[in-house]
Amino acid sequence: MNPTHSEPHPGALAHLESLPSWLAGRVAARGRSLVGEAIAAEGLKLQHYAVLATAADEGPLAQADLVRRLGFDAKDVVLLVNHLERMGLLLREPDQRDRRKNAVTATPKGLRLLQSCAHLADEANERLLAPLDPAERRTLLALLVRIVQD
């Protein structure tokens, strides 16, 4: 039998599930799910929250810059901005630096909603980290920051 085509050895799934990359992905998925569920009460999805937060912190921001900043697909950003604009959370106007482009800015209503979403996201992350004591939480966050910054 060719060893390159042999059956996986027993414990292959256990090995996969023990990989830091696998575990980090599972934790991230659980965290996104918890935050997504929490902000759904405000009528938003996580991507809406990201667009609104970016516009609030960096706006007025050209839609193309929003796409680059978030790394989202341009078509998706248009749909997200349209939805947020219909909700009265974003304002889209001609960009003062380049009138051929649109720039988005968070409205006062959008800024108020961001505060609510931040509170809901904090509560969701409290649930995510509930199994850890405060020292473990600080250590985990410090290690995650180190990995992300590398």
Side-chain angles (χ1 to χ4, degrees), residues 85-134:
E85 188 176 36
R86 281 193 304 276
M87 292 178 71
L89 304 173
L90 277 185
L91 182 61
R92 181 175 16 202
E93 297 179 312
D95 190 330
Q96 296 299 318
R97 295 166 294 204
D98 184 346
R99 303 298 251 165
R100 298 168 295 169
K101 297 179 181 179
N102 284 322
V104 295
T105 309
T107 64
K109 180 180 176 183
L111 295 174
R112 287 190 301 275
L113 185 61
L114 274 176
Q115 288 179 340
S116 175
C117 286
H119 178 73
L120 293 168
D122 287 343
E123 288 177 348
N125 276 277
E126 282 296 317
R127 289 193 303 278
L128 177 69
L129 299 177
L132 305 178
D133 67 38

Side-chain angles (χ1 to χ4, degrees), residues 30-103:
R30 178 159 160 63
R32 281 190 304 273
S33 177
L34 288 169
V35 173
E37 289 170 12
I39 65 171
E42 297 290 353
L44 297 182
K45 293 183 180 177
L46 202 49
Q47 296 89 341
H48 292 112
Y49 184 25
V51 168
L52 185 57
T54 304
D57 284 356
E58 299 180 14
L61 188 64
Q63 282 183 214
D65 293 334
L66 191 58
V67 167
R68 281 189 287 280
R69 175 69 173 87
L70 292 171
F72 291 176
D73 182 85
K75 292 178 208 148
D76 292 339
V77 170
V78 169
L79 295 174
L80 293 164
V81 168
N82 288 346
H83 185 249
L84 293 166
E85 188 176 36
R86 281 193 304 276
M87 292 178 71
L89 304 173
L90 277 185
L91 182 61
R92 181 175 16 202
E93 297 179 312
D95 190 330
Q96 296 299 318
R97 295 166 294 204
D98 184 346
R99 303 298 251 165
R100 298 168 295 169
K101 297 179 181 179
N102 284 322

